[in-house]
Amino acid sequence: MSSSSEQKQHGTQQTKKATASGWIGSVLEYYDFFIYATAASLIFPQVFFPQGDPQIAIVASLATYGVGYVARPIGAFVLGHWGDTHGRKQVLLICMFLMGISTMAVGLLPTYDQVGLLAPTLLVVLRLIQGFAVAGEISGASSMILEHAPFGRRGFYASFTLQGVQAGQILAAAVFLPLAYFMPSEAFNSWGWRIPFLMSFVVIIAGYIIRREVDETPAFAQETKKGEVPKAPVIQAIRENWRDMLRVMCASLMNVIPVVATIFGAAYAVQPGYGIGFSKDVYLWIPVLGNCLAVLVIPIVGNLSDKIGRRPLIIGGSLGAGLLSFGYLYAISIHNVPLAIVMSLLMWGLVYQGYNAIFPSFYPEMFPTRTRVSAMAISQNLGTMVTAMLPAVFATVAPPGSSNIPVTVGSITLGITVIAAIAVWTARETYRVRMHDLGNRDASPVPHAEYHELREKAFAEARKTSWISAFSMKH
């Protein structure tokens, strides 16, 4: 075998390992993150807060979900700096350990009835650690996969980061569903909800085994070899790329859709104060089915973005999901389970993936290697922090007993998705820009004919060695 062939095979193998690491790491980390989100909607109002006023308990519980996002910018600064100065691999291991340990600890907390205000205080502290940890996951995993991926296939491979996030949500609900269904309500509310949190021990073990097998990315290794690793990547990113960071921050407001689908939607459907009356085990199936469809759709959309570009799909997905939020909330309001499932499949499982599948390639492609993790982590987490308090805002402007809840919450949601779409519309297209030119505003994209020829070569190499190419939709 020639040295060139050996190098190609090694590169393909590392692409596979990096993609598997990003995918499974996202599954495990977001399993942790979403069992908290699910519990904050369904369980925590009754467990960690006083029961005198159900509206206050709901708002307070959903606010603890938002507190995790408040910690994200801090984590983004620290973990982004670490990822750009010490490498993508190291920062991903740190994220995983912090998330796993803090999630396990939630499962060991005393309740409000046992220790009073100490219970929600400890809950907030652990939620801050969770938010800090998760801040580096998406940017680190996306950068690692992107920098290992062959030119012409970055959108496809990077999309597996978010496919892992959706799979993590499925796993979180899959653990809650049998517990909520088979356990008596009293036992589930008393101790059964703790089981999914304690199972995070598996996160630490499995994640470490997988992530230690991945090499550092060629792009970062080259920066290190040239001595071009910045001492202060955060400052450099803000100085050189503040316009694109602002675009990413605004585009990340699209996090409003998962907030509506999985957080406020759950509280609206299930909490007694709203009077809709969905049972917990029935409602949990709605986002699960949407996520199951998303897992299938994401690599297809990611691959499509390598053919036609990132921006059209993100803009269409943003506006479409915002419009569909009205129908989703209306279906809940009339307690129509089949309609709620259909609207979830459309809004969350299909249309939203036009954004969700592509931002793991589009965001890091906006920035150069030397500041990529910092720039993406800070701007994305500042954007999602703004949406973090939306569950509590929604519960405040559309509290139990109010009228026109679907119109009120849907209008806010649509307005936010319009802002995200405009931000992406102002950005430059990146899918045909070579790795070493990313982040350079004056870089010329590779001509279409040459680009598709290089893309064909990447396909041919992937067919020889990669199991993951089975997901690809070449034509």
Side-chain angles (χ1 to χ4, degrees):
M1 182 182 291
S2 69
S3 60
S4 176
S5 298
E6 289 175 353
Q7 193 172 23
K8 282 183 179 179
Q9 186 172 9
H10 174 75
T12 304
Q13 293 296 330
Q14 279 300 310
T15 299
K16 287 165 49 181
K17 287 183 179 180
T19 304
S21 167
W23 186 86
I24 295 175
S26 294
V27 169
L28 297 175
E29 289 232 4
Y30 278 81
Y31 163 78
D32 286 355
F33 201 71
F34 283 104
I35 58 173
Y36 188 102
T38 305
S41 299
L42 305 182
I43 304 297
F44 290 172
Q46 289 79 35
V47 174
F48 289 111
F49 299 94
Q51 295 304 297
D53 186 331
Q55 180 182 343
I56 291 175
I58 293 170
V59 172
S61 180
L62 292 178
T64 65
Y65 171 77
V67 161
Y69 284 92
V70 173
R72 282 185 171 206
I74 302 169
F77 276 93
V78 176
L79 298 171
H81 172 90
W82 196 269
D84 282 327
T85 55
H86 292 77
R88 296 20 173 163
K89 179 176 178 176
Q90 280 199 30
V91 76
L92 289 175
L93 288 169
I94 292 170
C95 293
M96 182 194 63
F97 278 109
L98 285 173
M99 177 62 80
I101 292 169
S102 60
T103 304
M104 279 181 59
V106 172
L108 300 172
L109 286 180
T111 67
Y112 181 86
D113 289 341
Q114 292 171 325
V115 295
L117 289 174
L118 181 61
T121 302
L122 292 172
L123 186 67
V124 167
V125 170
L126 292 175
R127 184 62 180 162
L128 287 169
I129 297 172
Q130 276 192 329
F132 180 93
V134 83
E137 174 63 30
I138 294 296
S139 57
S142 298
S143 296
M144 172 171 274
I145 295 174
L146 188 86
E147 292 171 7
H148 273 297
F151 185 49
R153 305 215 66 201
R154 296 189 306 230
F156 171 68
Y157 282 107
S159 72
F160 281 85
T161 306
L162 262 292
Q163 193 199 48
V165 172
Q166 309 309 129
Q169 293 183 61
I170 295 170
L171 183 61
V175 172
F176 266 94
L177 279 169
L179 290 173
Y181 183 78
F182 290 110
M183 289 186 72
S185 294
E186 186 176 340
F188 182 64
N189 291 335
S190 174
W191 59 269
W193 66 268
R194 298 178 183 271
I195 295 172
F197 289 89
L198 297 175
M199 287 174 62
S200 290
F201 179 72
V202 178
V203 173
I204 303 171
I205 304 301
Y208 175 72
I209 292 171
I210 292 158
R211 289 193 159 167
R212 69 179 181 181
E213 295 296 319
V214 184
D215 292 344
E216 192 49 78
T217 70
F220 181 80
Q222 190 174 15
E223 294 282 319
T224 305
K225 187 177 180 180
K226 291 179 179 178
E228 295 179 356
V229 174
K231 293 181 179 179
V234 174
I235 295 172
Q236 190 169 340
I238 295 170
R239 186 174 63 244
E240 297 177 356
N241 301 103
W242 66 269
R243 293 177 183 85
D244 284 325
M245 290 179 71
L246 185 60
R247 289 186 177 98
V248 170
M249 188 170 71
C250 291
S252 296
L253 296 175
M254 276 301 295
N255 193 60
V256 66
I257 297 299
V259 165
V260 167
T262 60
I263 311 304
F264 178 76
Y268 184 35
V270 170
Q271 287 300 324
Y274 280 105
I276 302 296
F278 276 71
S279 65
K280 291 175 183 177
D281 54 325
V282 169
Y283 178 78
L284 279 170
W285 275 107
I286 295 175
V288 167
L289 293 172
N291 284 327
C292 288
L293 178 58
V295 163
L296 300 175
V297 168
I298 283 174
I300 298 172
V301 177
N303 187 70
L304 183 60
S305 78
D306 285 328
K307 294 178 69 175
I308 68 171
R310 321 288 192 223
R311 292 165 68 246
L313 293 166
I314 296 179
I315 291 169
S318 300
L319 298 176
L323 288 168
L324 287 166
S325 67
F326 289 98
Y328 177 69
L329 293 168
Y330 172 73
I332 292 175
S333 73
I334 61 171
H335 199 146
N336 189 323
V337 175
L339 183 60
I341 290 171
V342 170
M343 295 309 299
S344 173
L345 290 173
L346 286 173
M347 178 188 76
W348 173 252
L350 186 63
V351 176
Y352 175 69
Q353 303 313 318
Y355 163 80
N356 202 40
I358 300 169
F359 86 76
S361 55
F362 186 57
Y363 288 177
E365 283 175 341
M366 288 186 177
F367 307 110
T369 300
R370 62 185 176 273
T371 59
R372 179 166 293 130
V373 181
S374 296
M376 178 179 172
I378 292 166
S379 48
Q380 186 203 1
N381 284 293
L382 284 172
T384 53
M385 183 184 71
V386 174
T387 67
M389 292 303 170
L390 284 176
V393 170
F394 290 156
T396 302
V397 301
S402 62
S403 58
N404 297 322
I405 289 176
V407 174
T408 302
V409 176
S411 297
I412 297 171
T413 302
L414 178 60
I416 291 171
T417 62
V418 168
I419 294 171
I422 292 171
V424 174
W425 178 72
T426 67
R428 64 192 177 281
E429 188 56 82
T430 56
Y431 77 113
R432 289 187 290 117
V433 178
R434 290 185 182 275
M435 177 65 66
H436 62 268
D437 286 330
L438 292 175
N440 178 5
R441 286 189 292 273
D442 300 321
S444 299
V446 172
H448 280 280
E450 182 183 349
Y451 172 77
H452 288 291
E453 184 180 340
L454 291 168
R455 186 167 143 76
E456 287 296 326
K457 290 180 180 177
F459 268 109
E461 195 64 36
R463 288 191 197 100
K464 294 177 185 177
T465 56
S466 181
W467 60 267
I468 210 168
S469 64
F471 288 98
S472 177
M473 298 289 290
K474 178 182 174 185
H475 297 295

